[in-house]
Amino acid sequence: MNIYDFRVKAIDGREVALADFKGKVLIIANTASKCGFTPQYEELQQLYSIYADKGLAILGFPSNQFAEQEPGTNAEVQNFCQINYGVSFPLFEKTVVRGENAHPLFVYLTEKAPFRGFDLNHPIGTKLQSVLQDKFPELLAGDSIKWNFTKFLVNRQGDVVGRYEPTTSPLDMKEAIEKLL
């Protein structure tokens, strides 16, 4: 099994086979419109603009699971992303990314790239760890996604090769992306 075995729903409701992305390097991210990390949309779009013609695809999966920071409809999410960040990479319908009802794609991603902790030398890493311990301790258990803007890097063969927590700027992934392109 690899990434190409999954089917997902685009933000407009169309079913999409991830096999359509065979041969591309992928960044798969769970996203939200009302999060402190929301400006990462801008950096994801920058990466897409730089590398799309070299074979990078970015797949954004809005989720409302983390402090209800994605309350809008799919249409509202798409509109927000286009107006505020010029997002032109594919977005998918709001998705459950952790827990009992997690989409199988995200179960697979977290199995292949387990949680290794936040960078506690980074001030945002320390703050996120503290907020989760104080307000959402259940989110810290296991390898599941901990917060919005967790990013998974997938090579051209469909293998998950990296996991980047929300505290990692998408632009800090450039070197890893370039090695795969």
Side-chain angles (χ1 to χ4, degrees):
M1 172 175 265
N2 72 19
I3 208 77
Y4 304 130
D5 295 319
F6 295 96
R7 299 180 80 74
V8 293
K9 293 240 178 161
I11 204 156
D12 64 6
R14 289 177 298 111
E15 189 166 291
V16 176
L18 291 187
D20 294 348
F21 295 96
K22 266 188 181 168
K24 294 202 178 276
V25 172
L26 303 175
I27 295 174
I28 299 173
N30 67 299
T31 62
S33 299
K34 299 190 182 308
C35 176
F37 295 108
T38 299
Q40 287 191 20
Y41 270 128
E42 183 175 351
E43 291 186 11
L44 289 167
Q45 181 59 42
Q46 286 176 22
L47 290 174
Y48 189 64
S49 296
I50 295 167
Y51 298 115
D53 63 341
K54 295 178 176 115
L56 176 70
I58 297 176
L59 312 179
F61 288 83
S63 179
N64 196 39
Q65 286 189 275
F66 305 97
E68 298 180 357
Q69 294 180 339
E70 189 59 272
T73 65
N74 287 325
E76 289 169 336
V77 170
Q78 185 172 30
N79 191 44
F80 171 86
C81 290
Q82 288 173 343
I83 288 172
N84 293 288
Y85 296 102
V87 168
S88 61
F89 56 82
L91 294 172
F92 296 84
E93 71 178 9
K94 285 172 60 172
T95 303
V96 175
V97 299
R98 65 170 284 130
E100 259 181 47
N101 298 316
H103 190 286
L105 170 62
F106 284 89
V107 172
Y108 176 81
L109 290 168
T110 56
E111 285 173 355
K112 294 298 179 185
F115 180 63
R116 303 265 188 246
F118 300 115
D119 177 1
L120 298 180
N121 293 319
H122 189 289
I124 297 173
T126 305
K127 184 175 182 178
L128 182 57
Q129 178 80 23
S130 177
V131 167
L132 292 176
Q133 282 176 332
D134 293 345
K135 298 185 181 201
F136 307 100
E138 69 282 2
L139 297 180
L140 287 171
D143 290 322
S144 62
I145 292 175
K146 307 302 176 205
W147 205 254
N148 304 307
F149 289 91
T150 300
K151 299 159 289 291
F152 295 89
L153 186 60
V154 179
N155 68 18
R156 291 182 186 269
Q157 294 73 42
D159 302 315
V160 181
V161 296
R163 174 177 174 159
Y164 299 85
E165 298 305 328
T167 52
T168 300
S169 159
L171 294 179
D172 289 342
M173 299 170 63
K174 281 176 105 171
E175 185 178 329
I177 292 165
E178 288 173 357
K179 285 180 182 175
L180 298 175
L181 291 174

